[in-house]
Amino acid sequence: MKRMLALVLLASLAAGCSHTRECHCRAYQKKYRRPLTGTAWQLVQLYGQNVQSEKGAFTVTLSPEEGRISGLGACNRLSGDYAADETRALKIGPLRTTRMACPGQEQERKFVEALTTTTHYDMDGPMLMLLCDGELRAVLQAVPEPNEK
């Protein structure tokens, strides 16, 4: 079922940028696309379930200079290494987390699992999709810059 969801999502992305809409899609991508690195990403979907996160929770940022990822789960900070290449391969981890107890621990565990099992990624405008061997694990959205609307 999850694989089917990933295929439907990817097919809709491809169909959305058909030849008749090519100009619109390029303009959309140019305006809304964010770089993988240096962007703060917030979780919006995890294993096919929509996620409503508080501001700052379930976020990650990949730092290009150091090959490091850092972020926040439900309440615990996380950090580790990552490697990405031009083929959109992405390897995250191992991750280290603080060990505070708070509501949302199970969702935080699944978030860390989704990150560390990622094998590649795809992007559509301000959305980052993390996949594991073709299966959609998580969707993150670029956090708007302070001067963006």
Side-chain angles (χ1 to χ4, degrees):
M1 180 68 176
K2 291 178 186 176
R3 180 166 291 228
M4 182 64 127
L5 178 62
L7 292 174
V8 169
L9 177 63
L10 291 174
S12 68
L13 291 175
C17 286
S18 66
H19 294 294
T20 59
R21 297 178 140 186
E22 193 170 326
C23 291
H24 171 71
C25 286
R26 275 195 224 130
Y28 174 83
Q29 292 295 338
K30 184 176 181 180
K31 182 175 182 179
Y32 294 106
R33 186 172 190 141
R34 297 295 182 262
L36 175 66
T37 60
T39 300
W41 298 100
Q42 185 168 36
L43 184 68
V44 294
Q45 189 180 85
L46 184 62
Y47 293 103
Q49 302 294 314
N50 291 337
V51 174
Q52 297 294 325
S53 301
E54 291 183 25
K55 185 176 179 181
F58 295 100
T59 58
V60 294
T61 303
L62 289 80
S63 300
E65 305 84 30
E66 306 141 4
R68 303 276 300 153
I69 184 172
S70 59
L72 182 66
C75 67
N76 288 293
R77 298 220 171 268
L78 56 95
S79 64
D81 298 320
Y82 80 89
D85 66 27
E86 64 280 347
T87 67
R88 297 186 185 254
L90 179 61
K91 166 85 172 101
I92 298 173
L95 293 177
R96 292 168 289 289
T97 64
T98 55
R99 306 256 187 235
M100 295 175 20
C102 61
Q105 295 272 198
E106 181 60 21
Q107 191 170 41
E108 183 175 270
R109 184 193 65 72
K110 288 180 180 179
F111 179 52
V112 170
E113 175 186 82
L115 292 170
T116 58
T117 59
T118 295
T119 58
H120 57 289
Y121 70 96
D122 202 354
M123 299 176 84
D124 183 33
M127 308 304 277
L128 170 64
M129 292 154 281
L130 302 180
L131 301 114
C132 177
D133 298 325
E135 181 180 318
L136 183 63
R137 296 292 171 103
V139 179
L140 296 96
Q141 183 171 9
V143 175
E145 299 285 329
N147 57 354
E148 289 180 327
K149 292 182 180 180

